[in-house]
Amino acid sequence: MSADGAGAASAEQGGWRAAPEEERRPSLGTMNASIPVPKTGLWVRRFLAFLGPGYMVSVGYMDPGNWATDIAGGSKFGYTLLSVILLSNLMAIVLQALAARLGIVTGRDLAQACRDHYSRPVNLMLWFACELAIIACDLAEVIGTAIALNLLFGIPLVYGAIITAVDVFLVLMLMQRGFRTLEAFVIALLIVIFGCFIIQIVLAAPAIHDIVGGFLPQAKIVTNPEALYIAIGIIGATVMPHNLYLHSSIVQTRAYERTEEGKRSAIRWAVTDSTIALMLALFVNAAILITAATVFHQNGRTDVEEIEQAYQLLSPMLGVGIASTLLAVALLASGVNSTVTATLAGQIVMEGFLHLRIPDWARRLITRGIAIVPVVAVTALYGDQGTNKLLVLSQVILSMQLPFAIIPLVRFVSDKRKMGAFVTPAWLTILSWMIAGVILVLDIKLLVDTFTGA
C-alpha cells in the first residue's frame, strides 16, 4: 500500500475526528515510506532496514543540555545522580516505544494525532508548549556549539552563537540527499562522541563499586532542593518532549507493509532499534557524570558547574593533555548533531498541529534566531557564567513541557478505539501513566521550591 493509501486508511480508523481530504497527507511528505524493507531473507537485513530512527532520537538524549546538568551533578553530588540518569533512560525507552507504536499503527505522528483528537484551542496550547520546548532545546545547542567553538578555536561565545546559524545549510544539504544520508551523518557523529567518552572513562579509571552504588536511588535526591533541581534538569535533558513527536514520524519513513502483520513486525524492529540506541545515550550521559564525579568531586572540586571549567581542569587533574580536547570535540559533535533532529522535529510539529508548511530553511532560521538572541544578550550582559546558568535553566524548561507531550501520547496508545488490536496492554498502560505521574510530581515540587525559596 502506498503512503497516501496508508494515510487514507488511517483516517478511516475509529476514534479519530474526520479531517478534510486535503489535510490527509503523510508525515514528512515524500520521505514517508521512502526506505525499502526486505520481506524475506535473514532477519539481520530487516533489522538494518529499521536501523536509524532510534539513533536520530538518541541524539536528543545526549545533546549539550545534558552536559551542563551531568557535569554539575557529578561535581557536586558525586555518583548519586547516576540513578536519575538510569531512571530517565528507562522512562525514555518506554515513551519512545509508545511513540513508535502510535506512528506505525495509525499513520499519524503525535502532532497529527493531537490535531485529529483535540479542539483547536487545545491544539494551539499544545503546539505552543512544544515550540517552547524546541526553542529551549535549540538554546542548549547554540550554547553548547558556541562553547565548543570557543574551546577549540578561541572564537568568542557571541560570534560562536551567530555562526551556529550556518548549520541551516548543512541540514538542507543532507535532507536533499535522502533520509538515509541524514541517518548516516547522525550515526557517524554519534560514533565520534561514543569514542571520545570511552577514552575519557579509561583515563578517569573510576572505581566500579562506586559506580554501582550510584545507580541505587537515594532519598536526598528529592529532599535536597539543589539536587532535585539538577535531577529534574537531567530528566528534562533526557526525556525530551519534541523527541516523541520526532520518533512517531520518522519510523514511518520505512516502507513496511501497512497490514496488521506488517505493523507488528515494524513495531518490533523499531522498538529494538530505539532501545539499543538509547542504551548508547545512557552510556554517554553516565560517562559525563562519572568523569565529573571521579575527577572533580573526589578531589574536592564540588564547585565545577560549567563546561568551560571542566575543560580547563580536566587535563591538569588527569595529567593527560588530550582529555580536555576530547571533551570539546565530543561537545561540538553533539551540538552539530542535535541540529538535525531539532530541524526535523520543528517541521513535524508545525505541519502536524497547524497544517502549515514553510520552507525548511525559513523554519530553521526562525527557530535558531529565537535561540541566538537570548544567548547573545545574556553573554553580553553577564558573561560566560550567565550562559551556563541559561543552559541548565533550558533543561528545566524542557522538563516542564514533558506532560504536554506525554499525556496525549499515553492517552492515544491506550485507547482501543484509536489503536484497535495494537492498544497497549494493561501493564504497559499503568507503567506509562506512572511515568507521567512521576514527572508531574517532580515538576510541581520544583515549582513550589522555586517560588517559596525552599
Side-chain angles (χ1 to χ4, degrees), residues 91-428:
M91 288 180 176
I93 288 172
V94 173
L95 294 174
Q96 294 299 162
L98 297 183
R101 179 185 290 252
L102 176 72
I104 290 169
V105 172
T106 69
R108 293 167 170 80
D109 58 56
L110 181 56
Q112 291 173 329
C114 289
R115 180 180 173 84
D116 288 348
H117 178 82
Y118 294 113
S119 64
R120 182 167 178 77
V122 173
N123 268 302
L124 288 175
M125 181 193 72
L126 292 173
W127 168 74
F128 179 77
C130 192
E131 288 289 357
L132 187 61
I134 291 173
I135 290 169
C137 177
D138 215 41
L139 187 67
E141 292 162 16
V142 169
I143 295 171
T145 305
I147 290 173
L149 290 172
N150 175 259
L151 298 178
L152 289 171
F153 308 111
I155 299 173
L157 287 180
V158 172
Y159 297 124
I162 295 171
I163 288 173
T164 60
V166 178
D167 65 23
V168 175
F169 303 104
L170 171 64
V171 175
L172 289 177
M173 181 186 72
L174 290 170
M175 292 181 73
Q176 287 173 356
R177 293 177 176 273
F179 206 78
R180 271 303 204 189
T181 302
L182 204 63
E183 291 175 342
F185 176 79
V186 167
I187 292 173
L189 287 184
L190 287 176
I191 292 172
V192 171
I193 298 169
F194 188 71
C196 286
F197 278 107
I198 285 179
I199 298 173
Q200 292 280 26
I201 287 293
V202 171
L203 292 175
I208 299 298
H209 64 86
D210 290 338
I211 295 174
V212 173
F215 282 112
L216 301 176
Q218 299 180 35
K220 71 176 181 180
I221 295 173
V222 177
T223 57
N224 184 326
E226 191 174 7
L228 179 64
Y229 183 82
I230 296 176
I232 291 181
I234 290 173
I235 293 174
T238 305
V239 188
M240 299 190 111
H242 68 276
N243 266 351
L244 301 175
Y245 293 92
L246 176 69
H247 200 190
S248 62
S249 174
I250 60 178
V251 290
Q252 298 179 55
T253 57
R254 272 51 186 174
Y256 53 87
E257 292 186 12
R258 267 54 175 180
T259 61
E260 181 168 336
E261 183 53 39
K263 290 177 180 179
R264 288 195 188 280
S265 177
I267 291 172
R268 198 160 50 241
W269 292 118
V271 171
T272 301
D273 173 52
S274 64
T275 300
I276 294 172
L278 289 173
M279 293 308 293
L280 170 64
L282 171 63
F283 168 81
V284 171
N285 283 322
I288 297 171
L289 189 142
I290 289 168
T291 301
T294 307
V295 179
F296 305 136
H297 183 80
Q298 291 190 351
N299 289 291
R301 291 302 305 264
T302 59
D303 59 330
V304 180
E305 297 182 352
E306 302 170 1
I307 296 173
E308 292 98 324
Q309 283 180 286
Y311 175 85
Q312 292 162 3
L313 294 171
L314 199 55
S315 283
M317 295 185 75
L318 277 176
V320 182
I322 198 175
S324 293
T325 303
L326 288 171
L327 185 75
V329 168
L331 179 62
L332 182 60
S334 175
V336 173
N337 228 356
S338 300
T339 292
V340 176
T341 55
T343 298
L344 277 176
Q347 176 185 336
I348 291 161
V349 166
M350 183 170 284
E351 289 183 18
F353 277 116
L354 305 183
H355 192 59
L356 175 65
R357 180 174 178 83
I358 63 174
D360 295 335
W361 63 267
R363 161 76 208 186
R364 189 64 192 147
L365 279 176
I366 291 170
T367 305
R368 181 49 55 101
I370 293 173
I372 287 174
V373 170
V375 175
V376 172
V378 169
T379 303
L381 291 173
Y382 302 104
D384 296 355
Q385 286 191 338
T387 306
N388 280 278
K389 292 184 185 302
L390 192 62
L391 185 58
V392 176
L393 177 62
S394 72
Q395 302 311 298
V396 177
I397 292 173
L398 278 172
S399 187
M400 293 299 176
Q401 308 311 313
L402 276 171
F404 296 103
I406 294 175
I407 291 174
L409 174 64
V410 177
R411 180 176 180 181
F412 294 154
V413 296
S414 60
D415 187 339
K416 189 171 179 60
R417 294 176 304 161
K418 298 182 186 300
M419 300 294 289
F422 295 92
V423 65
T424 52
W427 69 267
L428 183 54

